[in-house]
């Protein structure tokens, strides 16, 4: 029996860098698991739409799909938008929604990869304060998760780690940078906890103007691709069990 199709669901953006980054990540996922068919659908702004991909798969005769939200926290899109879209899937499709990507130790590894690519080294950790800069959310659960990640990451040896948010919540990136300066960290680095470029990541970058280091977005980091496949594998087991029942 063939494996369920993996449908990666991205938010979408008017910024062309967003879709380009999503497609680069999906290409990496395909390279890691050539036995799995991977498709991409967008909630807004870009094509193909999630609904369009689902309808095409149903027309082809596909029956089992794992829909994976390309999201780092369980906020509004994961709890409301995506379930609503999947509820309108063609009736002959069996669709299971996978968990969001975060939190995961692999994502912390990806964050560190980006910081080292931006010029830091492991020897800099004890003297460097890091701003964990996320897009932000009005969902208390999502905000609490970011705070937990910051605390966990601090325990790996950084001078300090502070969460920051580009929207909906405080503090902003520039405020967290200032706090780390006042704390006495020799250098301050900003690590965007976002998957692709766009409006809010650009706001994070502006807030990092007084930092010493600004890392790139997570994008198609190999660790991110591995998390996608972990979430897919965890979701596909119940699908296959149901099919074989």
């Amino acid at each position: 029996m063939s494996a369920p199709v993996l449908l990666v669901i991205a938010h979408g953006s008017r910024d062309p860098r967003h879709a380009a980054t999503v497609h680069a990540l999906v290409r990496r996922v395909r390279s890691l698991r050539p036995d799995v068919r991977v498709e991409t659908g967008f909630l807004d702004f870009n094509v193909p739409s999630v609904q369009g991909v689902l309808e095409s798969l149903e027309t082809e005769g596909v029956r089992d799909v794992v829909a994976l939200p390309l999201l780092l926290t369980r906020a509004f899109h994961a709890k409301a938008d995506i379930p609503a879209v999947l509820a309108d899937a063609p009736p002959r499709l069996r669709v299971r929604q996978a968990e969001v990507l975060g939190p995961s130790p692999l994502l912390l590894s990806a964050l560190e990869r980006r910081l080292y690519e931006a010029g830091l080294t492991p020897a800099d950790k004890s003297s460097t304060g890091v701003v964990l800069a996320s897009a932000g959310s009005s969902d208390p659960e999502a905000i609490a998760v970011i705070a937990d990640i910051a605390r966990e990451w601090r325990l790996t040896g950084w001078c300090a780690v502070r969460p920051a948010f580009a929207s909906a919540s405080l503090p902003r990136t520039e405020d967290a940078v200032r706090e780390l300066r006042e704390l006495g960290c020799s250098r301050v680095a900003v690590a965007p906890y976002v998957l692709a470029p766009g409006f809010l990541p650009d706001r994070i970058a502006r807030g990092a103007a007084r930092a010493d280091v600004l890392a790139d977005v997570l994008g198609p980091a190999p660790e991110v691709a591995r998390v996608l496949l972990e979430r897919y594998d965890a979701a596909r087991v119940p699908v296959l069990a149901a099919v074989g029942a």
Side-chain angles (χ1 to χ4, degrees):
M1 181 177 295
S2 61
V5 171
L6 169 55
L7 172 57
V8 176
I9 300 179
H11 183 275
S13 171
R14 292 186 179 89
D15 188 324
R17 297 173 298 166
H18 175 90
T21 302
V22 170
H23 290 312
L25 174 58
V26 168
R27 285 194 297 272
R28 187 178 287 276
V29 172
R30 288 180 179 136
S31 72
L32 292 175
R33 290 283 290 276
D35 59 311
V36 176
R37 178 176 175 181
V38 187
E39 299 292 340
T40 308
F42 295 91
L43 291 174
D44 206 353
F45 301 117
N46 302 104
V47 292
S49 68
V50 175
Q51 189 65 28
V53 174
L54 291 171
E55 290 172 358
S56 294
L57 291 174
E58 192 268 346
T59 299
E60 291 178 33
V62 171
R63 291 296 173 261
D64 297 300
V65 177
V66 170
L68 194 152
L70 199 59
L71 300 168
L72 295 171
T73 59
R74 269 185 52 79
F76 181 79
H77 293 304
K79 295 178 179 180
D81 282 356
I82 292 176
V85 172
L86 298 181
D88 288 333
R92 285 186 289 181
L93 281 181
R94 287 181 288 258
V95 183
R96 184 175 180 86
Q97 182 175 330
E99 292 295 327
V100 298
L101 302 184
S104 167
L106 284 170
L107 294 178
L108 286 181
S109 297
L111 287 165
E112 294 207 357
R113 170 190 291 275
R114 294 302 189 223
L115 286 171
Y116 297 151
E117 290 171 350
L120 294 179
T121 70
D124 296 323
K125 291 185 74 168
S126 63
S127 59
T128 302
V130 179
V131 178
L132 178 67
S134 77
S137 172
S138 58
D139 188 309
E141 177 187 350
I143 297 304
V145 166
I146 299 301
D148 287 344
I149 293 170
R151 283 191 291 269
E152 178 182 348
W153 202 15
R154 164 68 181 84
L155 297 177
T156 67
W158 296 100
C159 174
V161 180
R162 295 289 186 270
F165 307 94
S167 68
S169 307
L170 296 174
R172 295 286 185 256
T173 302
E174 53 268 32
D175 299 325
V177 169
R178 183 172 59 253
E179 180 184 348
L180 291 171
R181 291 276 187 221
E182 294 171 352
L183 191 63
C185 298
S186 297
R187 66 181 62 79
V188 176
V190 174
Y193 190 58
V194 293
L195 288 166
F199 176 75
L200 293 178
D202 284 350
R203 181 179 288 177
I204 289 172
R206 291 193 297 272
R210 296 186 180 277
D212 301 293
V213 173
L214 171 62
D216 200 358
V217 299
L218 294 174
E223 296 87 354
V224 178
R226 287 168 57 196
V227 176
L228 259 75
L229 290 170
E230 283 187 357
R231 300 294 185 255
Y232 167 77
D233 286 333
R236 72 188 288 251
V237 172
V239 171
L240 295 180
V243 172

